[in-house]
Amino acid sequence: MTYKDQINPNRIPTHVAIIMDGNGRWAKQHGMKRMFGHRQGVQTVHNITTAAAEMGIRYLTLYAFSTENWNRPQEEVDALMALLVETIRQETPTLMENNVRLMTIGDLSRLPETTRQKFMECIEMTSHNTGLNMVLALSYSSRWEITEALRRAVQQAQQGLLTAEQINEDTLSCYLTTAGIPDPDLLIRTSGEYRISNFLLWQLAYSEMYFTDCLWPDFTVEHFYQAIVDYQHRERRFGKTSEQVTE
Ligand code: IPE
Ligand code: IPE
Ligand code: MG
């Protein structure tokens, strides 16, 4: 039986977040330059997004470029920015076809103008789509996001629009770039690294974690289904006892 056949349609996670890692190592394994791995990784994004849309997942958040990734060699950063533009150009028709709405989180002001422009166009064009919400984390890090949230909250407080008493988990969440997006149910990280790398620190508080050694360009739709099946066998207790949640 394939993993696809084992998926329980009544327990599809609402939000899956993925740290897409291992493109560089994959390229090295194939005796190629790192960018070859990033290009292959785009194909995986296409396949996984299509599968997620078909499955009825509501939100798919993909960590595409972190704040820390700006510290990579300039040549790789430039090539990645160009690849993003090319990918959006190429993938927009598929997003439209699959009723996918593109969203972004992160500090887009750091992106080159052409890259930012291309994203804005695609966000606008797909804004009425009602299927999967594909959230690309670009120039994103959680500490950046939390720092920004705090700055905005203090600004509002200084203007008399926010009081200390009004601050609670819900109001704080509204200051994050993920405002309005439910927390991830499942986090997947490829490439055998067991860390979060500054991704959604607040939002992952109660997410189920799934780590696989598979490098991102090798991550197939069947691997994705396997992660979903694994998730569906977890018991999410949120601090309660097993008896409480199974009652
Ligand atoms: C993930 O692959 C993609 C980005 C971070 C942009 P890596 O480029 O980190 O690949 P490895 O970890 O070096 O193999
Ligand atoms: C995390 O991958 C960021 C993305 C997948 C975009 P990295 O490859 O940058 O993570 P670290 O630095 O090895 O933790
Ligand atoms: Mg990496």
Side-chain angles (χ1 to χ4, degrees):
M1 194 152 84
T2 65
Y3 285 107
K4 189 179 188 180
D5 299 328
Q6 294 173 47
I7 292 175
N8 175 354
N10 301 316
R11 275 202 75 191
I12 299 294
T14 302
H15 184 174
V16 177
I18 308 183
I19 301 177
M20 313 182 286
D21 199 11
N23 295 348
R25 276 164 284 169
W26 185 88
K28 202 169 175 186
Q29 274 181 5
H30 290 77
M32 304 294 274
K33 293 229 166 78
R34 294 180 57 81
M35 277 316 291
F36 183 67
H38 293 312
R39 289 191 166 277
Q40 198 59 37
V42 169
Q43 186 57 48
T44 306
V45 171
H46 174 97
N47 299 342
I48 300 304
T49 306
T50 306
E54 269 174 21
M55 210 189 294
I57 289 172
R58 299 296 303 137
Y59 294 88
L60 178 70
T61 299
L62 301 174
Y63 205 5
F65 193 86
S66 72
T67 303
E68 288 75 18
N69 289 151
W70 289 114
N71 299 323
R72 291 193 175 191
Q74 195 58 43
E75 194 191 331
E76 180 167 343
V77 170
D78 292 346
L80 277 170
M81 291 300 135
L83 180 62
L84 283 171
V85 173
E86 191 188 314
T87 303
I88 289 297
R89 189 171 292 137
Q90 194 182 299
E91 291 295 318
T92 303
T94 314
L95 298 184
M96 293 306 289
E97 214 170 285
N98 292 333
N99 197 20
V100 176
R101 175 176 167 219
L102 179 71
M103 301 165 81
T104 54
I105 53 170
D107 186 2
L108 294 202
S109 72
R110 292 187 70 177
L111 296 183
E113 187 53 32
T114 43
T115 311
R116 190 170 53 244
Q117 216 39 56
K118 202 73 212 155
F119 272 99
M120 289 307 161
E121 275 171 37
C122 185
I123 288 168
E124 175 61 30
M125 194 183 283
T126 61
S127 62
H128 300 295
N129 289 347
T130 53
L132 172 75
N133 294 284
M134 180 196 196
V135 186
L136 275 191
L138 280 172
S139 186
Y140 174 89
S141 77
S142 205
R143 287 188 174 182
W144 164 80
E145 175 180 52
I146 292 169
T147 307
E148 277 306 302
L150 196 62
R151 192 198 315 279
R152 286 205 292 126
V154 170
Q155 275 168 355
Q156 295 212 333
Q158 285 170 337
Q159 292 165 16
L161 300 168
L162 181 73
T163 64
E165 292 69 33
Q166 284 172 325
I167 293 183
N168 56 40
E169 290 188 9
D170 291 335
T171 50
L172 256 184
S173 295
C174 293
Y175 288 95
L176 300 174
T177 54
T178 51
I181 300 176
D183 289 342
D185 299 293
L186 170 65
L187 171 78
I188 299 172
R189 182 170 188 149
T190 58
S191 90
E193 306 295 354
Y194 297 83
R195 54 177 175 264
I196 301 298
S197 303
N198 216 347
F199 190 45
L200 302 174
L201 300 179
W202 169 280
Q203 297 87 341
L204 292 174
Y206 256 112
S207 306
E208 296 298 325
M209 307 273 168
Y210 182 89
F211 296 96
T212 167
D213 285 341
C214 186
L215 303 174
W216 179 248
D218 285 331
F219 191 74
T220 62
V221 165
E222 193 60 11
H223 287 118
F224 185 51
Y225 295 145
Q226 184 177 6
I228 302 294
V229 169
D230 189 280
Y231 162 84
Q232 292 186 329
H233 287 101
R234 310 269 183 104
E235 181 177 76
R236 303 188 74 191
R237 291 190 288 276
F238 299 98
K240 295 183 178 172
T241 65
S242 184
E243 289 70 26
Q244 282 176 298
V245 294
T246 47
E247 256 164 24

